[in-house]
C-alpha cells in the first residue's frame, strides 16, 4: 500500500524494499503487484505491465540489487475478491461470485476479457524482467483470479475455460504460451 494512487512505484516503496535488501537477505520479493487496473486489491497497490510503470520498476530493481539482494516481482489479479471502491472498476471473476469478505458480486468474464487478462499477465512478466527483476512470480493462490479459474468452487463455466481440469488450467497455459 505504498504505491502512488495510479499504481506507480513511489519513493516510499523504494526506501522500504531497499532497506529490506540491506539486511543481508538473498532475495527480496515485491508482493502482489496488479497486472491491470481492475486487478488490484487496494487503493495504493503497485501495478506492473504497461510501459508507464517501467521507470519506477527499474529504479526499484536497481535499488534492491545495489543493496545486495536479488529481486522478484509477484504479480496477480484479484478477480472476484476485487473491490470497486478501490479500483473504480467492476469486479470480475470466472463465474458470478460474491466474496464474503468484501460483499461485491463478481461479474463473469467474457472470453475477450479473459484473453485481455492473459495479455496483461504476459506483459507484466515481460515488463518485470525488462525492468531488471531477477524473477517474476505469478500468484496462483489465495483465491485470486488464477486460483479461481483452477477451482471448481469458483469456476462454474461451461466453455473452454471451465469444466475439465484441462479447461480450468487453460488461462495459465495461455499466459505461458504468450510469454
Amino acid at each position: 500500500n505504498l504505491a502512488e494512487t495510479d499504481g506507480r512505484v513511489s519513493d516510499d516503496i523504494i526506501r522500504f524494499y531497499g532497506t529490506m535488501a540491506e539486511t543481508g537477505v538473498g532475495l527480496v520479493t515485491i508482493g502482489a503487484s496488479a497486472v491491470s487496473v481492475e486487478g488490484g486489491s487496494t487503493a495504493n497497490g503497485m501495478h506492473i505491465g504497461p510501459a508507464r510503470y517501467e521507470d519506477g520498476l527499474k529504479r526499484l530493481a536497481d535499488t534492491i540489487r545495489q543493496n545486495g539482494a536479488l529481486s522478484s516481482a509477484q504479480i496477480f489479479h484479484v478477480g472476484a475478491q476485487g473491490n470497486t471502491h478501490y479500483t473504480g472498476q467492476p469486479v470480475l471473476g470466472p463465474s458470478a461470485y460474491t466474496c464474503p469478505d468484501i460483499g461485491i458480486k463478481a461479474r463473469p468474464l467474457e472470453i475477450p476479457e479473459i484473453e485481455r487478462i492473459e495479455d496483461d499477465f504476459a506483459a507484466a512478466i515481460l515488463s518485470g524482467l525488462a525492468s531488471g527483476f531477477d524473477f517474476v512470480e505469478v500468484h496462483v493462490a489465495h483465491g485470486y483470479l488464477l486460483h479461481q479459474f483452477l477451482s471448481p468452487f469458483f469456476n462454474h463455466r461451461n466453455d473452454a475455460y471451465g469444466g475439465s481440469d484441462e479447461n480450468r488450467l487453460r488461462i495459465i497455459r495461455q499466459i505461458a504460451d504468450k510469454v
Side-chain angles (χ1 to χ4, degrees):
N1 289 321
L2 296 175
E4 301 293 344
T5 56
D6 66 355
R8 285 181 295 137
V9 171
S10 67
D11 291 338
D12 288 338
I13 286 177
I14 290 176
R15 278 191 295 278
F16 178 77
Y17 287 111
T19 300
M20 290 179 88
E22 289 174 344
T23 67
V25 298
L27 174 67
V28 172
T29 299
I30 311 309
S33 298
V35 300
S36 60
V37 175
E38 84 282 347
S41 62
T42 63
N44 288 87
M46 206 170 92
H47 291 235
I48 292 181
R52 69 179 175 270
Y53 300 118
E54 286 187 5
D55 287 343
L57 294 168
K58 286 177 185 175
R59 285 180 45 224
L60 180 55
D62 288 346
T63 298
I64 292 168
R65 185 173 301 99
Q66 290 165 3
N67 287 322
L70 296 174
S71 60
S72 172
Q74 180 188 76
I75 61 173
F76 84 129
H77 187 297
V78 74
Q81 291 188 44
N83 190 327
T84 303
H85 304 295
Y86 290 135
T87 66
Q89 302 292 315
V91 175
L92 306 171
S95 304
Y97 175 76
T98 302
C99 176
D101 293 333
I102 297 168
I104 299 172
K105 187 173 186 176
R107 176 178 61 75
L109 286 156
E110 300 198 11
I111 299 283
E113 293 172 312
I114 296 169
E115 292 168 346
R116 191 242 332 139
I117 289 171
E118 293 167 353
D119 292 340
D120 292 343
F121 268 98
I125 292 166
L126 296 173
S127 177
L129 295 172
S131 296
F133 285 92
D134 297 291
F135 308 95
V136 177
E137 173 190 336
V138 180
H139 197 318
V140 189
H142 304 130
Y144 295 139
L145 184 67
L146 298 181
H147 178 228
Q148 292 165 18
F149 269 94
L150 292 177
S151 170
F153 177 82
F154 295 106
N155 185 343
H156 303 143
R157 301 178 73 91
N158 57 11
D159 60 13
Y161 289 90
S164 69
D165 291 346
E166 180 180 341
N167 284 354
R168 291 193 323 271
L169 187 60
R170 184 174 313 281
I171 189 170
I172 295 169
R173 288 192 174 143
Q174 292 290 102
I175 292 165
D177 288 348
K178 288 179 180 194
V179 171

